Amino acid sequence: MGRCPGCGEWNTLVEEQAPEPSARASRPGRRRGEKAPRPVPLAEVEASSMERVLTGSDELDRVLGGGLVPGSIVLIGGAPGIGKSTLMTSALASVAGAGRRVVYVSGEESAAQVRLRAERLGPDALSIPVLAETSLHQVLGSIAAERPEVCVVDSVQTLYSEDLTGAPGSVGQVREVAARLERFARERGCAVVLVGHVTKDGTLAGPRVLEHAVDCVLQFEGEPQRTYRTLRALKNRFGSTNEIGVFEMRSGGLTEVADPSERFLGEARPVAGSCVLCAMEGTRPLLVEVQALTAPSDVVPPRRIANGVDRNRLSLVLATLARNGGPSLGSSDVFVSVAGGVRIEEPGADLAVALALASAARGEPLARGSAPLACFGEVGLTGELRFVAHAERRLQEAARFGLEQVIVPARCLSDTAPSAQAAATAADSLGDALRIALDPPALTQAA
Ligand code: TYD
Ligand code: MG
């Protein structure tokens, strides 16, 4: 077939080797004396708790769920130049520094190029054994002899198997490479990290099946022009997918940002169009500045640009704003972004987007004091403010940065310790929150 019946694309089908048909596989349970296996109660299954391999980076370890699991396979994706190779080289350097065996397979760069990078990362990085090779068979043979505990393959798209006809990076090749490396990982108890490319539209290149085959998919994102990078897990069989790790690219490689709130809030000022969001990323509260700008539009439909927040949620917020006493922005261009290049995925960001937009449309700052106004909460379709989890931790984080006013969904305060409520102002609905933020009663009276 020239055309794939699944996706409708032309010339995407790739020839693959069919496995040898074996008589035994095709006729199950036919042999005499051979019993069919029986299921075992889970309580009787032996599960040795494996000691994880720490990568020397708290941020990476946390996203992985506490370090690399021996015998597992991890896929890390990200745009070119984002720092995948740098992150993996420093991780290997630290694992090697702890006396474990490692191998860095480089299909993309020559050994000399890998060395040049390693020179910037410190002495441990220079002790990493590197294998610049693109033939899967050679790589498998070499790592079988080396018996590493952690092996990085950079990148999965550059290796190829001679058994298949497709070019390296094609669907069949990538799948074969991943499958063979997975078998190696499981059999030898080696943690294998595959580095993957990301296509223009931001998805991991190669077949989706790759994401099913691996235990953990990490996405490394950020803008190459900026220094901040975030690492998040899209799938993790050994941990949560809510955690993010924050890094900064410096001349000596990637450094961890231990206190991201401080970095992201550093430039927040109480000006029109700015609102601080108390977000949660996994188990960690994170303060970020949401910025909005509105301008009369000269195109139909007007522009809706969202950086760091979900575009669909922005549409929802715009619609509820118009209905609940906020500005109608139907003929304005709207830009919303999270300062610092972070992406916030939780619905608790809605209220901050709404307030930043309202403030931008009016041209007035939200806060009256020196500290910016903060908030969190999900906006429902009827304009109500909905409960979001971890109110207490968010409020504590805001208090740590001296934020004096935090607008909170009223429902969130019932299970919050009174000590954490000092800065909190409860609002039932979006309309309420807009009044509190833009028309404080004391000021209207004075006027
Ligand atoms: P790299 O890890 O090669 O990215 P990827 O493998 O994801 O394509 O490096 C990305 C960029 O980081 C590169 O443009 C150079 C820069 N960089 C630094 O700024 N400092 C450093 O110490 C290193 C090693 C790289
Ligand atoms: Mg690279």
Side-chain angles (χ1 to χ4, degrees), residues 25-40:
S26 55
R27 293 184 192 174
R30 253 212 70 193
R31 280 201 180 176
R32 232 168 255 152
E34 192 185 24
K35 274 203 210 143
R38 300 199 50 190
V40 191

Side-chain angles (χ1 to χ4, degrees), residues 290-364:
V290 176
Q291 296 187 331
L293 174 67
T294 62
S297 180
D298 49 12
V299 290
V300 178
R303 295 181 187 87
R304 301 282 179 255
I305 310 286
N307 276 322
V309 290
D310 184 31
R311 208 161 167 256
N312 292 330
R313 296 218 67 98
L314 171 60
S315 306
L316 184 148
V317 167
L318 284 169
T320 43
L321 261 181
R323 278 277 184 124
N324 292 278
S328 288
L329 297 165
S331 54
S332 304
D333 288 339
V334 168
F335 308 87
V336 174
S337 84
V338 178
V342 236
R343 190 153 58 87
I344 302 292
E345 285 187 333
E346 60 154 350
D350 293 353
L351 183 57
V353 173
L355 293 183
L357 278 167
S359 152
R362 263 214 205 183
E364 281 175 27

